[in-house]
Amino acid sequence: MILLRKTPCALLVALFLLTACASDGGTTSAKYDFSDNLATWEREGAPGLALAVMIEGKVVYAGATGLADVGHDVTITPTTVFHGASLTKQVTALAIAELASEGKIDIEEDIRTYLPELAYRGPEITVQHLLDHMSGLREASSLSAMAGWRRGDVFSEDQRQRLLENQVSLNFAPGARVEYSNSGYALLGEIIERTTGVSYREHLQGAYFDPLGMTQTIMRTDLSEIIPHRAMSYQPTGDGFLRDDLRYELVASTGIQTTVLDLLIWARALNEQTVGSVDAWRIFEERTFALSGDAATLGRGQEKRSYRSLETWSHGGTDAGYRSFLIRVPGRNFAVAVMSNRFDVDTAKLAYGIIDDIFFGSPREPAEFQPASSADLQAYAGDYELFPGVIFSITTDGKALYFAPYGSTEGAPIPQIGPRRFLVGGTTDLSIAFDRPVGGKSPGFAWTLGLHGSIPGMRLNIEPVDPDAIDTSAYLGRYYSEELDVFFDVSTEDGALVLRHPRVGSSSLLPFTEDVFFGDGPVQEVRFVRGPASRVSGALFSNSLADDVWFQLQPSAR
């Protein structure tokens, strides 16, 4: 049973709603006017965002700008419903923590206790590994792309579960390191259903959304469902915008449909711990580390961060053109919720900027740094792999750094913006921060998107192969994966290798090193494996967050 503590539920909702903004936009107090934060995104005929701020448990501002539906000229308001994407994870994590506190789930138990149908038979993956992004599970969306799903295809929760159920291998050993995983949270959603006997959506609605009075919040499980006041999703183009619709029916890792005002109801309940038991909160707030020493920064659906002396808890969401961010300062009963339907809004930057204004009266001063010396630049230069087959080359002329995809002949300059940190793209908050050099070389970098988090990139020591020396005939044939139940054909066009799939078409395979090729389609790396007599027996296919899926060369294909 989920408990609402300290304040009776009806009183909690009534008190909150009395403080909420009654109009479609603007402030509820002359003291707090954050409309300047919206001004940047005011543009006729464009999508936009909604913003709400809570101080000492009271909503002091709720405003919005832009269009929820550009084609029909529908304005965004603070009651517009957005897709919240990964904000869903903290709701899932708290639900798991509550079930664990009731003795219905053991977070240190092997997940096969609850999901015995999983084909995986390796070292145990615990519920805690799922909560903290340490499971090693391959990313389901990456697997679906490798299996032949196209961008416009509908991807259902049942299809995702079956895809994960069939996986026999992982990206890494459970608990070894941290890798953000939607797949892990998908399985947590399934565990919630198995444990409670009702659907994930029904459980969350009854446990949290209805009792808290979050009347505009649901988990979307059907693309055909009509959700009143819902914003459409857009990608900016050079001179306008294009629709970027979601094409999946997934929950637990994503799926929450909500408003900025409903998010503040949720944030207040978390700040005051009026939802969930004491034992559940102990589990929910626990911070853990992988065997590598990496912190599970976004574990349990929230990042705990010390920001300018404040303890903050936050998480963002990104899907299609939707962007969202919720940050709390429990010690001040403070929260900011930002939701947008355009791809280019940095919701985290906006939220932290409001914290700067309210608590410190000024933006955070950038860290002082000494410009990188020529020796420093030489230490950063090299090739770095972000995901299998996703490799970037950093070069230097001794005066500046240049960035390019591996194999490109010309790189773009990247200016220094901090100690060992360089801005990529110039007009965004995308940056790379190099590790401290070891033996004169940085072993890796952190690929960072503003305040949303980072992905590690590792230095590679590449020994390129001469394309003319490759015997492409050794690789030809049909390759089959039992885990994905899919075929790919490897053939040649004009002497170069090509990877073919009946649904996604052809993509080039470019030589990298001996028996390793880069792909420019749904498979980013193909690593051919040789058996007896050094003949190719199969290949390991990889793409972002899905490593080394085994494809067997079929004998009849020779």
Side-chain angles (χ1 to χ4, degrees):
M1 175 181 179
I2 307 297
L3 302 176
L4 293 170
R5 302 185 292 112
K6 297 184 180 178
T7 305
C9 176
L11 178 59
L12 174 70
V13 174
L15 287 174
F16 189 89
L17 293 179
L18 283 174
T19 68
C21 181
S23 64
D24 287 343
T27 66
T28 56
S29 169
K31 183 179 179 181
Y32 300 106
D33 183 355
F34 302 103
S35 56
D36 287 350
N37 292 279
L38 304 177
T40 302
W41 306 102
E42 290 177 0
R43 174 182 162 190
E44 185 177 354
L49 68 150
L51 165 69
V53 182
M54 179 178 75
I55 300 177
E56 296 180 353
K58 296 181 180 180
V59 178
V60 299
Y61 179 85
T65 188
L67 298 177
D69 188 328
V70 174
H72 294 89
D73 200 31
V74 177
T75 302
I76 296 174
T77 77
T79 58
T80 295
V81 175
F82 293 83
H83 173 74
S86 288
L87 289 183
T88 311
K89 289 182 173 69
Q90 63 192 262
V91 187
T92 301
L94 184 56
I96 288 288
E98 190 64 49
L99 292 170
S101 73
E102 295 170 357
K104 297 176 180 177
I105 293 173
D106 181 350
I107 67 168
E108 296 182 359
E109 183 63 69
D110 192 320
I111 62 173
R112 288 167 291 195
T113 302
Y114 309 102
L115 305 171
E117 70 277 14
L118 295 179
Y120 171 72
R121 291 293 177 266
E124 72 173 17
I125 303 171
T126 66
V127 175
Q128 180 171 312
H129 287 146
L130 301 185
L131 284 169
D132 293 337
H133 303 291
M134 299 180 189
S135 66
L137 289 166
R138 294 163 173 155
E139 184 60 58
S141 59
S142 301
L143 291 172
S144 68
M146 195 181 294
W149 265 270
R150 295 180 294 194
R151 181 173 174 79
D153 292 340
V154 174
F155 192 30
S156 72
E157 187 61 55
D158 182 65
Q159 288 171 321
R160 178 167 71 167
Q161 293 292 341
R162 301 295 78 75
L163 199 58
L164 294 175
E165 177 185 315
N166 291 335
Q167 297 303 298
V168 298
S169 299
L170 307 174
N171 288 343
F172 55 86
R177 57 187 176 91
V178 175
E179 182 175 85
Y180 192 80
S181 174
N182 289 298
S183 296
Y185 273 75
L187 295 187
L188 288 174
E190 185 71 13
I191 290 172
I192 289 172
E193 293 195 345
R194 304 281 180 92
T195 304
T196 62
V198 298
S199 72
Y200 172 86
R201 169 171 166 162
E202 184 179 351
H203 179 67
L204 274 294
Q205 204 74 39
Y208 302 124
F209 305 148
D210 289 346
L212 288 173
M214 297 170 67
T215 59
Q216 289 188 275
T217 301
I218 65 167
M219 293 293 176
R220 189 186 195 191
T221 57
D222 185 344
L223 287 177
S224 64
E225 181 176 9
I226 296 174
I227 300 174
H229 312 297
R230 183 173 181 269
M232 299 295 103
S233 165
Y234 298 92
Q235 292 276 2
T237 62
D239 56 356
F241 295 88
L242 294 175
R243 282 276 296 272
D244 189 9
D245 295 330
L246 292 174
R247 301 301 297 169
Y248 57 70
E249 300 169 328
L250 308 178
V251 294
S253 63
T254 185
I256 193 170
Q257 313 294 304
T258 190
T259 69
V260 289
L261 289 173
D262 270 11
L263 282 179
L264 290 193
I265 294 176
W266 173 252
R268 178 172 172 174
L270 295 186
N271 282 347
E272 299 177 355
Q273 298 189 11
T274 52
V275 61
S277 66
V278 173
D279 286 342
W281 271 89
R282 176 184 55 78
I283 296 169
F284 185 47
E285 292 190 327
E286 183 182 10
R287 305 288 95 183
T288 63
F289 294 84
L291 295 176
S292 64
D294 294 338
T297 305
L298 291 172
R300 323 229 169 166
Q302 296 186 97
E303 177 180 2
K304 181 182 180 182
R305 174 188 292 203
S306 177
Y307 182 76
R308 299 184 72 175
S309 77
L310 295 174
E311 179 187 295
T312 68
W313 294 78
S314 64
H315 205 291
T318 301
D319 270 332
Y322 293 109
R323 297 293 181 269
S324 60
F325 196 75
L326 176 65
I327 187 167
R328 301 184 295 113
V329 182
R332 306 292 186 91
N333 205 353
F334 170 90
V336 179
V338 189
M339 305 195 82
S340 174
N341 63 337
R342 53 183 291 168
F343 173 83
D344 53 348
V345 174
D346 189 338
T347 51
K349 183 178 181 180
L350 198 159
Y352 276 102
I354 290 174
I355 288 180
D356 289 335
D357 290 342
I358 291 176
F359 293 107
F360 305 102
S362 64
R364 187 175 190 177
E365 291 293 331
E368 295 185 2
F369 65 93
Q370 290 289 332
S373 66
S374 177
D376 292 332
L377 298 177
Q378 291 291 345
Y380 305 148
D383 298 311
Y384 297 83
E385 185 173 50
L386 200 61
F387 301 109
V390 180
I391 298 175
F392 301 110
S393 295
I394 308 295
T395 58
T396 183
D397 58 6
K399 299 178 181 179
L401 285 185
Y402 300 87
F403 174 93
Y406 179 76
S408 297
T409 57
E410 188 172 338
I414 52 176
Q416 186 175 6
I417 58 173
R420 304 191 311 280
R421 183 178 295 276
F422 294 77
L423 189 65
V424 180
T427 59
T428 73
D429 284 324
L430 179 62
S431 65
I432 51 178
F434 292 94
D435 297 342
R436 291 186 183 278
V438 177
K441 298 291 183 182
S442 287
F445 62 57
W447 177 274
T448 305
L449 180 60
L451 294 164
H452 287 272
S454 62
I455 302 170
M458 302 306 295
R459 177 184 289 273
L460 294 180
N461 296 313
I462 300 173
E463 297 180 6
V465 64
D466 179 4
D468 295 333
I470 295 174
D471 177 12
T472 56
S473 66
Y475 307 118
L476 305 182
R478 170 162 290 186
Y479 294 76
Y480 174 71
S481 168
E482 289 188 1
E483 291 176 278
L484 299 179
D485 190 22
V486 65
F487 289 96
F488 276 91
D489 291 313
V490 176
S491 57
T492 57
E493 284 186 6
D494 299 325
L497 283 187
V498 174
L499 193 64
R500 285 195 175 91
H501 183 279
R503 292 202 75 234
V504 297
S506 301
S507 57
S508 300
L509 288 180
L510 306 177
F512 177 52
T513 60
E514 185 177 0
D515 288 340
V516 180
F517 292 76
F518 285 160
D520 60 0
V523 180
Q524 295 165 343
E525 180 185 278
V526 176
R527 186 178 299 270
F528 292 99
V529 176
R530 295 180 182 269
S534 295
R535 290 174 58 87
V536 172
S537 59
L540 296 167
F541 285 17
S542 299
N543 60 14
S544 300
L545 300 177
D547 300 347
D548 296 339
V549 180
W550 175 248
F551 279 74
Q552 182 75 40
L553 177 61
Q554 302 302 288
S556 59
R558 281 293 188 187

